[in-house]
Amino acid sequence: MRSYKKGGGGGYPKNFFFRSAAAPPSLALGCGVCDNRKQLEGDVSGTQTQTKSWTGNEIRETFLRFFEGKGHRRVRSSSLVPHGDPTLLFTNAGMNQFKDVFLGLEKRDYDKATTAQKCVRAGGKHNDLENVGFTKRHHTFFEMLGNFSFGDYFKEKAIPYAWELITSPEWFAIPKDKLYVTVFGGAEVAPGTTLGVDEDARKFWLAQNVPAERVVAVPGLKENFWAMGDTGPCGPCSEIHYDMGPTASEQGHADCKFPCDCGRYVEIWNLVFMQFNRDASGKLTPLPKPCVDTGMGLERVAAVLQGVVSNYDTDLFQPLIQEAISLTGADPIIAAIDYSQEAASLRVIADHSRAATFLISDGVFPSNEGRGYVLRKIIRRAIRHGRLLGAKKPFLSEMVRPVRDLMQKAYPDLVQTTPQVMEVIRAEETRFLRTLEVGSRKLEEALVQSAISSYRQHRTVIQRRAPGEGTLQTIDDALSNLQQSKIIEVVKLIAVLIRKHLNQGIVIPGAQLFQLYDTYGLPTDYISDVVRDAGFVFDETEFNKALEEQRARARASWKGGAGKEAANPAYAKIADQFTTEPDFYFATSAKDTCIEAIVTKNGAVKELKAGESGEVVLDRTVIYAESGGQMTDTGAFYDPSGAQVVAEVSGAYYPVARLVAHRVTAKDTLRVGDRVSVEADAERRARIMRNHSGTHLVHAALRNILGTHVKQAGSLNAPDRLRFDFSHFAHVDAEELRDIEQQVNDEIRYNCQIETAVTSLEEALASGALAFFGDKYPESNVRVVTMPDPRSPRGFYSKELCGGTHVHRVGDIGVLKIVSEQSVAAGVRRIEAVTGIGALEHYQQRAQLLSQIASKLNVGEDAVLATVEKLSETAKHLEKELEAQKRKGALGQLEDLTAQVQIVKGVKVIAAEVANVDRAGLRQLVDSLRQKLGSGVVALGMPDDGKVALIAGVTKDLTAKVHAGKLIQALAKLVGGSGGGRPDLAEAGGKDTAALKSALQAIPSLIEPWL
Ligand SMILES: [Zn+2]
Ligand SMILES: [Zn+2]
């Protein structure tokens, strides 16, 4: 097995967690029963011991139940793909989905919430992927338990809640003598503004009977002060730490005191108190309604409650590690030694299989940019570690099932997505294995090139320094007669020779190796191992530089790829006062609407002059703002009389929830407070609506015909076409496409009236409505679009959560025609279709094309196919005949050419111009001539399509004197071209056909000096 070398610094402390006897590694916890809680009652002293074994699943559920009992709404985890937040690569904290609520941009019908949030930290500033697996608490995927108060309670309740949950014998019953808490210890929070110790928080902790010496004020901004950004909500934090005992110290501390960051004291819960608003000048103003945001790492608290030091020893990971052992064939005895590289590889696989499963389940697919690139790195890193453990076959896809088994109770979505997730990972594994093959070959080529050029450069020096060096002859011989199978041996020989006589290694440029890493996905340590094994020097600094540049590009690409910039900050204030009432569901024109705000890049302004561009917020609009895959409307504002256009509207969007910003160019001065009429382009809208309703039909038909694994992965409803991306692993064949089209058009002809209703999210999902889980839906007031069908047992053909506009009756679509089906990413297919007028145009274009072809062929339209078949037969026949002619021509010339042999210093030379052969024929001719001569030099040239083709062949006995490559280079110069090749065979091309004759005539004089 190859040894694992960890790149870069950092590391793995020497005494890194041997398992202590006190923390047994086996976690046969099974399904914990809550019966033993009674035993604990009455024992509320600070020295109680935990007797209950909590499973990870129980901990998560208990947390949520605790806060539900305190009046919190249990809110489902949001997607790992943050919705509408382009500043974030992945959801990385419980508060992400509530960001707009904290900012006051969005109101919910509850003011207290609790969640178990899926999070991923990888590829960003928070987490260096390379650490994961080599520490006890680094993860790419983890779960954050949290409770949130949106202006309801503050420190006075957040602190007692936290203390009760973790210490009460009714709940987690963590011994109080193992706990420490911190409060904010004061710092300069903005230039000139200094905050003191958070005495409030300290007071509330003391009120819980936490001993004063265990409430530690930590000064400074880094540890205990939180801010959403440079401006906005901010405030002090309070953290709860758990003492894991001296065995957890990574620095071998036997009796260090809190706070020491040696690994003994572990932060398990962070309570954030959003107390202030910070403005652009840095000034802090107390928030009228302060908020609470807390985060407890499930994996950490599981380690605490299960009495183990490492998160990876909890029941959230152990079943995965056991599965990885059996899938990879790792040695279980070595794997049980925590500091072994095998154990690290297993932790990597356990962690990464969770991340990959959840990311793909949430709609991320492996790709070369943005989120997909991070996912690809995670998958490939896991595969690499699997191979280190001895896995020969794809194994990672098999890890998805145990991840599902562990997590499906909390994340029921996994049950449905597992087959597809497995397919995606399997495809990525297959691709990666292929990559390794191709990449290894390329790497070998790079080594050979460097070795040969280095050898040529230093040969004379070596010969001078060591005249008796016999290796030189061996290498010369080998290079003049290279056999593919021997090449690596020769390369190693060169490396040894250069090290021996020049006292230096051959350096492979790091940038070149990075290319291999980047283009072929060869892992860094694989590359460095191969390079070092061959006796070369791996230029790590330059490699890392190239890597850093590439990372910066990757970061830039996902920001750009999000396609949406963070909203102009002016909208936060506007959203406080206004919302836009949507009238676009009912009409395409509205009279007497009011301009509430005008925003330009300078922020909110009072007016927009004629000719200026900006964004306008109305109290009410019929312009559909781009969302849910439906393109925005275009249109115009009119003066109240409706006679005069006062602004052209090129589109609209939602800068924040429930506020529509129109992108306008003013034709007349627009002022805040003006009243205008709004018109959307009705024809364009009608086309979009037909396509949007068509999309719902296609979605339903795909699920009926291909299966319910089909999930929407994106859609676009434009005026000219609809596009629907969906998860499906195979190509959709022509027959399936025809079935889909037929079913959709049958539904269209059935012509039911489309129904829309507004209900709660839970109710909508319970009724069978499809939701696109990459999207964020409110808990209540979700819109459900139903296409009824009394023929179906469910009573409907399609039911989806959708905020878009639809036709009145399904029949209004007219007809739907699928125009293409293709792959857009691994496991994602794309269908494009046209409807209504668009479909008519499509049919008309096709009919016209057919009529044009028929008239070109001079036959009737019905005879087109037969005629084309006949033509293609004839063409094939003619091609064959032509090839035969050429071959005959080449062989016919053989005798002629042999007769043209000349003798130069005793060597037979043929230099001639040929005709009527292709390049393959030319090569064949040279071979035949070489054979005929037995020993000699052959150079042939021919005009080829206005250019010159040249080829030179030298029999093996002469290559030491006449190098075909050198000969061809000299010839190429004469015809204004370039070329090269092996010592025995080389080719060139040139532009100057007129010079071909004289070039061929020059051959004897070119060769003569070499003989
Ligand atoms: Zn310590
Ligand atoms: Zn829709």
Side-chain angles (χ1 to χ4, degrees), residues 173 297 331 351 419 816 876 985:
D331 183 337
D351 174 275
L816 182 142
K876 260 186 224 150
L985 191 72

Side-chain angles (χ1 to χ4, degrees), residues 126 362 401 432 542 589 900:
H126 290 301
D362 276 355
R401 269 194 227 108
F432 184 49
E542 210 193 319
S589 72
Q900 293 182 32

Side-chain angles (χ1 to χ4, degrees), residues 253 256 260 262:
H253 296 174
C256 57
C260 176
C262 66

